[in-house]
Amino acid sequence: MFHGSMVALVTPMREDGSIDDDSLAGLIEFHISHGTDALVAVGTTGESATLDEKEHCALIRRVVELVDGRLPVIAGTGANATTEAISLTRCAMQAGADACLLVTPYYNKPTQEGLYLHHRAVAEAVPIPQILYNVPGRTAVDMLPETVERLSHIANIIGLKEATGDLGRLEQILDRCGGRLDLYSGDDATAREFMLRGGKGVISVTANVAPRAMREMCAAALAGDRTRAEALDAPLQALHRDLFVEANPIPVKWALYEMGLIPPGIRLPLTPLSSQYHETLRAALRQAGVLD
């Protein structure tokens, strides 16, 4: 249902931490004009962990309203409480989102059976298409391929964002799930190879600042054109690395501020990018051709 360069959209904030609606609207137009294939709102990069449920739902509704059907909207609705994940997912469906992205429950470290039952409960409670999201580096739990395979038999679970960066994991899941799930990279550094090996796209941090280049690279990789995909990806390598010099979304929000696209706001406990990394990130932006 979804493919290509799907931006893990930041949530623009003023210095006092309030959400900046004007900048949000501007970012959405920026992505539409640069060919981004889909928007993923209120995920990790959108600071979902520091938004309360009312803000979370309101932001999804606003993104859907601003997009106005011009490209797909995938709403981040994961939570470490199953009841909260159901509530957020229902809210996203009512807001008109095209699908939901549900991170594995974090912090409480469920078993594989707990992961299966959690995602099954959300899928059974809310019929919207759902994409699983595995990012053990942030959640402290790893959804194993056998659990993904069990979940792939649930009709409205349609995809998996796999953010381990392990290409061997991609091959295991492809073998187990066949055509039942679309697989998306959650790791920009390995996304090109992920798509060349059968993935359908990337949910990308880099696409926030280099949307056209990421869209073109993804199109080449999905077409199986390795030479062109590698050539397009080469100038982005520094961004893939340096947008993670501190915890995401600290660097990408600073980069977008440097590009004049958003205010500098970010919510505690996250803090603005340390000054020692400013020139590193400027150099990566220049190499990608998005900053003079």
Side-chain angles (χ1 to χ4, degrees), residues 191-223:
R192 180 195 71 237
E193 192 64 28
F194 189 100
M195 287 179 280
L196 286 166
R197 296 190 188 188
K200 298 299 185 184
V202 57
I203 297 176
S204 171
V205 176
T206 298
N208 277 283
V209 296
R212 190 177 303 280
M214 281 298 294
R215 195 260 182 188
E216 291 175 354
M217 185 276 287
C218 289
L222 290 172

Side-chain angles (χ1 to χ4, degrees), residues 116 119-120 132 143 147-154 157:
Y116 171 75
H119 284 289
R120 189 183 75 178
L132 310 171
M143 183 184 291
T147 305
V148 176
E149 182 179 11
R150 292 177 71 193
L151 289 165
S152 73
H153 293 283
I154 298 171
I157 292 179

Side-chain angles (χ1 to χ4, degrees), residues 214-281:
M214 281 298 294
R215 195 260 182 188
E216 291 175 354
M217 185 276 287
C218 289
L222 290 172
D225 188 341
R226 176 177 291 277
T227 300
R228 177 166 169 75
E230 290 177 348
L232 290 166
D233 201 33
L236 302 174
Q237 288 297 309
L239 278 179
H240 297 337
R241 179 188 67 240
D242 295 337
L243 285 173
F244 297 91
V245 291
E246 290 184 335
N248 179 48
I250 291 172
V252 71
K253 292 197 87 173
W254 182 89
L256 287 166
Y257 171 63
E258 187 77 357
M259 293 168 67
L261 292 171
I262 64 170
I266 195 165
R267 286 191 181 178
L268 286 171
L270 299 181
T271 52
L273 184 70
S274 301
S275 58
Q276 71 192 79
Y277 296 119
H278 288 188
E279 194 49 47
T280 298
L281 205 47

